[in-house]
């Protein structure tokens, strides 16, 4: 546990001290702010509508953001050789994998800061009817979807040595996951497959959050799949040593 | 302290290590000597716990490398060949992080980092960003990292690779200073480095150990001594002087140096061989200008061991 904390702190420090992080955060804040206020205007100043209106954009943003945040995690260390330094320290493979994952998750969550800030400003200065519950559920909805997206990204980064390939594989993996939900459109409504695909439809999970709801079944599914992906990532890291 | 038995490593069809054996006693400083591609880095990486062996056993500080990998890693300080560091970190920050990762806690960290900075003479650069340091200074940061938790065993892979002569000397002096305090295994293909820093050498060639002996034994090693002569006189006379000398063999052709001829020779008995040669040269009316040892003892032994002596002579 102690090593996990040391390694996670190092991952966070590496992200928060990099120019790339702030450039990305600035870009995301600017673009999401634009969409958020456009939706706010269209909704006649209704914050609930603004969040629902801009959630589609956030969803696509998360699909792109997760691979960008995870692509460097193993691929960069492998390419620069620092993985040799890291793995010859007295740490377990799972500690390294989990620390990188937790670091990416925390960094990902900070990209929601502009939304919270916008709500705070509206609540404090414009006496806006802010629905903190809806905002929290939306953040949780996106974060639980991000659990899997980041795990896919981390696994891709462990598999390849080139960051760009890692990002591409992660994006394709995330798209494949999203496509599972789209397959639902081809099924007969109410059928067993239709229901099953409904459970794994990450787009629906986000919609649940945006509606201000928390569905524990969805959270449990996301967490289980994430743990499985992280387990595979640890195995990939181990297997790559034996090759 | 280090015990390597029948160590094999295969990368697909390629066999990098073919059953090597050697050991290093506590406090000893041993050089792993070999050409590029001989299997040195593979051996070092296995010992450091970075890659597993295909078969064979390795014990470090009493722990088995595969089944007690973490315990092994706790007892070693490892300097990889390319010295990969986190460029965005400052020197002290990096060492602090590494010390904690290697198990030092709370109040132990600061003095350990100070000691390591002092050992590698980096106190003045503690606040420097690693990416702004020269290669020599980065090498020192790597050494400080290897030393920060005072491990009983140091594994240094090509510690002077890519450094200029002055930086090489500094790192060599530093390693010499560690002798006796740690068990040191240094890999290199630079012979003077091994000669000045190690008590013993293990020579590895094509994935096999071809010799393990003290530096002195290796220098004396083999049954052949080499020396060099510079003579004045006609080449034909020089050739005549060597004809029929079963105990003397020329290593390549004589090379003209102005009006003189330089020639490298090999003999089974240095004293007798030289005396015999001088007598023959005088008999042929040649003037002996210079008579000296050739191609350094360890280099000569090394080349013999890896079967490159003929190439070196030509």
């Amino acid at each position: 546990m102690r090593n996990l904390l040391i390694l996670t702190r190092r991952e966070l420090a590496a992200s928060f001290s990099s120019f790339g992080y702030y450039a990305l955060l600035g870009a995301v804040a600017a673009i999401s702010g634009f969409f958020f206020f456009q939706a706010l205007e269209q909704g006649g100043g209704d914050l609930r509508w603004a969040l629902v209106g801009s959630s589609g954009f956030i969803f696509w943003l998360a699909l792109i953001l997760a691979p960008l945040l995870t692509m460097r995690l193993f691929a960069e260390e492998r390419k620069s050789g620092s993985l040799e330094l890291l793995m010859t320290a007295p740490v377990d493979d799972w500690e390294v994998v989990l620390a990188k994952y937790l670091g990416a998750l925390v960094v990902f969550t900070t990209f929601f800061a502009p939304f919270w800030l916008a709500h705070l400003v509206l609540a404090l200065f414009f006496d806006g009817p802010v629905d903190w519950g809806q905002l929290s559920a939306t953040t949780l909805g996106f974060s639980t979807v991000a659990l899997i997206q980041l795990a896919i990204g981390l696994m891709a980064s462990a598999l390849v040595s080139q960051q760009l390939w890692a990002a591409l594989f992660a994006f394709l993996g995330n798209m494949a996951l999203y496509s599972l939900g789209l397959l639902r459109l081809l099924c007969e409504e109410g059928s067993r497959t239709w229901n099953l695909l409904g459970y794994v439809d990450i787009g629906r999970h986000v919609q649940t959050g945006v509606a201000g709801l928390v569905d524990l079944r969805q959270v449990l599914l996301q967490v289980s799949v994430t743990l499985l992906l992280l387990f595979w990532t640890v195995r990939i890291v181990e297997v790559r040593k034996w090759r | 302290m280090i015990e390597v038995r029948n160590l094999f490593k295969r990368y697909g069809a390629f066999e990098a290590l073919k059953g090597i054996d050697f050991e290093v006693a506590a406090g000893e400083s041993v050089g792993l000597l070999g050409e590029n591609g001989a299997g040195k880095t593979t051996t070092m990486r296995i010992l450091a716990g970075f890659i597993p062996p295909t078969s064979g056993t390795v014990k470090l500080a009493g722990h088995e490398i595969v089944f007690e990998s973490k315990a092994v890693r706790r007892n070693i300080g490892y300097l990889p060949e390319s010295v990969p560091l986190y460029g965005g970190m400052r020197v002290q920050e990096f060492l602090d992080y590494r010390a904690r990762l290697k198990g030092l806690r709370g109040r132990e960290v600061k003095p350990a980092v100070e000691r390591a900075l002092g050992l590698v003479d980096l106190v003045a650069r503690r606040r420097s960003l690693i990416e702004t340091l020269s290669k020599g200074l980065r090498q020192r940061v790597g050494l400080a990292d290897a030393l920060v938790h005072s491990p009983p065993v140091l594994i240094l892979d090509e510690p002077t690779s890519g450094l200029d002569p002055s930086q090489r000397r500094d790192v060599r002096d530093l390693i010499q200073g560690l002798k006796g305090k740690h068990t040191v295994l240094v890999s290199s293909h630079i012979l003077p480095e091994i000669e000045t820093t190690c008590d013993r050498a293990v020579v590895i060639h094509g994935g096999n150990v071809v010799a393990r002996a003290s530096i002195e034994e290796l220098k004396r090693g083999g049954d052949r001594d080499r020396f060099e002569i510079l003579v004045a006189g006609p080449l034909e006379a020089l050739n005549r002087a060597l004809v029929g000398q079963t105990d003397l063999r020329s290593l390549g052709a004589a090379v003209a140096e102005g009006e003189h001829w330089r020639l490298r020779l090999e003999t089974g008995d240095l004293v007798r061989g030289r005396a015999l040669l001088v007598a023959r040269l005088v008999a042929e009316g040649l003037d002996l200008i210079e008579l000296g040892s050739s191609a350094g003892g360890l280099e000569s032994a090394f080349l013999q061991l890896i079967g490159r002596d003929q190439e070196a002579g030509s």
Side-chain angles (χ1 to χ4, degrees), chain B residues 103-123:
Chain B
L104 298 189
R105 288 164 184 270
R107 289 183 186 163
E108 298 169 342
V109 176
K110 201 176 171 199
V113 170
E114 290 300 322
R115 192 187 61 86
L117 284 169
L119 273 173
V120 299
D121 199 16
L122 269 179
V123 176

Side-chain angles (χ1 to χ4, degrees), chain A residues 2-3 6-7 9-10 13 77 80-92 95 241-243, chain B residues 11 45 48 50-53 70 73-74 78 80 84 86 89 94 97-98 100-105 145:
Chain A
R2 187 175 167 270
N3 283 342
I6 295 167
L7 290 164
R9 213 166 63 178
R10 152 77 197 138
E77 294 238 33
S80 71
S82 55
L83 194 65
E84 188 168 356
L85 208 64
L86 182 60
M87 301 311 253
T88 51
V91 293
D92 288 318
E95 288 173 328
K241 285 189 204 170
W242 288 86
R243 286 170 65 197
Chain B
Y11 297 104
R45 283 181 163 176
F50 184 55
I51 54 171
K70 210 167 158 185
R73 283 178 279 155
R74 214 172 275 129
Y78 175 51
Y86 297 117
M89 289 179 105
F94 172 73
Y97 159 67
R98 294 290 293 174
R100 288 176 198 280
L101 206 57
K102 291 174 179 188
L104 298 189
R105 288 164 184 270
D145 169 40

